[in-house]
Amino acid sequence: MKNHKGWLAILIVVISLIIDQVIKINVKTSMSLGESIRITDWFYINFIENNGMAWGMTFFNKMVLSLFRLVAISLIGYYLYGQIKKNARLRYVVCLALILAGAFGNMVDSMFYGLIFNASSPYYVSYFVPFGQGYSSFLLGKVVDMFYFPLIVATWPDWFPFWGGEEFVFFSPVFNYADACVSVGVISMLLFCRKDLDDLSTSFSTKRNKKNPVTEEDK
């Protein structure tokens, strides 16, 4: 059973990475930066790039962010391996594998896209270049986003504070398949893996208490 869960986790990560990269490379090599393709009124393929945080957010220097994500991916992978060895529940393993796949999918962009592509532009379509002759260096590549779901487009009432009369869009972030993997993994974990998360919290508390035992004076 442990072997089956391990192979399933590997399969989820590999397939998710392939799907993610096929979509990103196709978008990057067939659309100019900022180009938008209407699929329906509530779904567009909208090509943008960002420094790599989920949903296009940016709070850190790019190199710091990439190094932080490498550490986070390593910790998630190590934890997933440990859970498989402990024969954790299948649903928990699947959620962790989705989170790992999504995190690693965006990391691939940061690691290699700056080395193998020329810079994207609104005026031309990007293309492959000889390895190392791209627009940036290792860990400094930009992440490709493309899915845009403006489910509701409306205008705030004039009387509404601050935003009165301005356009309102729900849902406005542009994201990619890797972001979706992380979101599905996290949401599914919160909904269906409460027992596993409680066990993790209990285990963490037990280890902390062993390192810092309560003495008579503390009591």
Side-chain angles (χ1 to χ4, degrees):
M1 181 61 74
K2 292 180 183 179
N3 289 336
H4 291 163
K5 290 178 181 177
W7 282 113
L8 177 61
I10 292 173
L11 191 63
I12 290 172
V13 172
V14 171
I15 290 177
S16 298
L17 280 174
I18 291 173
I19 294 173
D20 180 59
Q21 290 303 310
V22 167
I23 294 172
K24 288 174 176 175
I25 291 174
N26 183 60
V27 167
K28 190 170 177 66
T29 58
S30 62
M31 298 176 65
S32 57
L33 188 65
E35 183 179 351
S36 182
I37 299 175
R38 178 183 176 275
I39 307 300
T40 70
D41 287 339
W42 48 268
F43 175 35
Y44 292 77
I45 302 297
N46 188 10
F47 174 31
I48 66 171
E49 292 181 323
N50 66 77
N51 280 337
M53 292 191 71
W55 311 107
M57 294 183 292
T58 302
F59 297 119
F60 302 105
N61 171 273
K62 175 63 179 178
M63 179 59 74
V64 173
L65 176 61
S66 293
L67 293 175
F68 173 79
R69 287 166 57 211
L70 278 176
V71 173
I73 290 169
S74 300
L75 292 175
I76 295 170
Y78 179 77
Y79 179 71
L80 173 59
Y81 174 74
Q83 290 302 302
I84 293 172
K85 287 187 66 177
K86 292 179 180 178
N87 200 25
R89 293 196 300 173
L90 180 61
R91 67 184 70 177
Y92 194 49
V93 171
V94 169
C95 290
L96 288 171
L98 282 172
I99 294 170
L100 178 62
F104 193 58
N106 283 335
M107 195 68 227
V108 170
D109 298 27
S110 295
M111 289 191 296
F112 300 114
Y113 277 25
L115 299 171
I116 63 175
F117 287 109
N118 68 321
S120 298
S121 169
Y123 307 107
Y124 57 78
V125 174
S126 185
Y127 51 86
F128 286 101
V129 297
F131 189 84
Q133 297 183 22
Y135 67 87
S136 191
S137 55
F138 185 66
L139 294 179
L140 295 180
K142 294 184 177 181
V143 175
V144 175
D145 288 333
M146 74 295 295
F147 297 134
Y148 177 47
F149 290 88
L151 300 178
I152 300 174
V153 180
T155 302
W156 289 105
D158 291 335
W159 52 262
F160 198 87
F162 303 111
W163 297 287
E166 295 184 7
E167 186 179 72
F168 165 75
V169 179
F170 177 87
F171 173 77
S172 61
V174 181
F175 61 99
N176 58 43
Y177 184 83
D179 295 330
C181 286
V182 174
S183 298
V184 170
V186 170
I187 293 172
S188 298
M189 186 181 295
L190 293 174
L191 291 176
F192 306 116
C193 301
R194 299 295 297 272
K195 177 181 180 298
D196 308 272
L197 295 175
D198 288 341
D199 291 344
L200 173 62
S201 177
T202 301
S203 175
F204 179 77
S205 297
T206 301
K207 290 180 180 179
R208 185 176 59 181
N209 290 336
K210 286 182 179 180
K211 290 182 179 180
N212 302 288
V214 178
T215 63
E216 290 297 327
E217 291 182 359
D218 294 329
K219 294 180 180 179

